[in-house]
Amino acid sequence: MVVMKMKFPFQKRVKLAQGLWLLSWCATVAGATTFTLGCLLKTELRRRAEVMANTDIHIVPNTLMIVGLASLGINYFASKICQDALDAGRFPRWKNFLKPYFAVSCFFTVLMLLAIIMSYAMKGSLESSLKAGLRNGIRFYKDTDTPGRCFQKQNIDRLQMEFQCCGNNDFRDWFEIQWISNRYLDFSSTEVKNRIKSNVDGRYLVDGVPFSCCNPSSPRPCIQYRLTNNSAHYNYDYQTEELNIYLRGCREALVNYYMGLMNTIGAGVLSIFLLQGSVLVSLRFLQTAMEAVAGKENTEIETEGYLLEKGVKETVMEYLDPVLTFLLLKNKVQEGTAGETTTAPA
């Protein structure tokens, strides 16, 4: 069953070819934009690699970069096909090329759609990655003398100041780890000894936070230490005081930042996907309308163009059958080779 059949007089075919040529170059620019957006997202993710436990989220920018590069080639050939469609004598040379071209184009167009879906669906993976990464970053904050971790303090401080956040979930995360290096502790001090002895793991824990948690917009001078001790500060109540440190956790801040970035990119790539789909649909109509002209003396006759010659299921299977046949043959060859190796004499 033919899907979406339309009639194309000569003038309509010419206008379709000319309009599609312009549209394909717009799609080429859009492909370059997709690649650029992928690079931008990749760069932003790599900037915070030290607080990410895994790189699963990188599948989104990687896919965008691949699709963007593929789009450049797809739309370049689309523009060449449109040029030759204006000359009935040159168009037949594309006949054997168009079937694999449409298969590859549809694959990368669907891949673009998957990248858009992933950009909205990767929030859970991003959040779990940041949760583990920030936990490790805070834990290694004090290891400024340890190779491989000497820049961890600087990274965490810059992160908290840039995103106006404190800790992983909130500022209380700093209460649960020793973030002051033993190098800067006076072990002859009674207070230090008592704090270390009071902890099962022998760590120096304080109800304080690093300076990078301080909120500069607060009118009160920053209170970093003894945050839960009301008597340690004048006119201070831990339960009711609006603390002059950042209350939002860095995981929440980073998730909001990256999801906002990916959602914005996803919306942009969605418009590019629609443009790419328009190019492929229009090119398919142009192809089928021009095939009806092949071998005719009068090339200005009215022809019919269509989107699919058969139903959707039959068309999909037509493209999948050669691939499945190839895979089956490959498996049989491998099984035969394995069988010969097993039965070979010692």
Side-chain angles (χ1 to χ4, degrees), residues 108-140:
F108 282 107
T109 304
V110 171
L111 197 61
M112 184 183 293
L113 180 61
L114 290 176
I116 297 168
I117 295 171
M118 285 188 295
S119 69
Y120 291 94
M122 292 294 284
K123 182 178 180 179
S125 178
L126 175 64
E127 192 164 1
S128 61
S129 176
L130 287 170
K131 181 179 181 180
L134 283 167
R135 184 173 60 242
N136 290 333
I138 292 172
R139 186 155 57 98
F140 301 140

Side-chain angles (χ1 to χ4, degrees), residues 10 13 88 289-290 292-303:
F10 174 71
R13 289 201 305 271
M290 287 301 299
V293 180
K296 300 289 178 63
E297 292 184 6
N298 183 10
T299 59
E300 298 185 4
I301 60 172
E302 182 180 85
T303 58

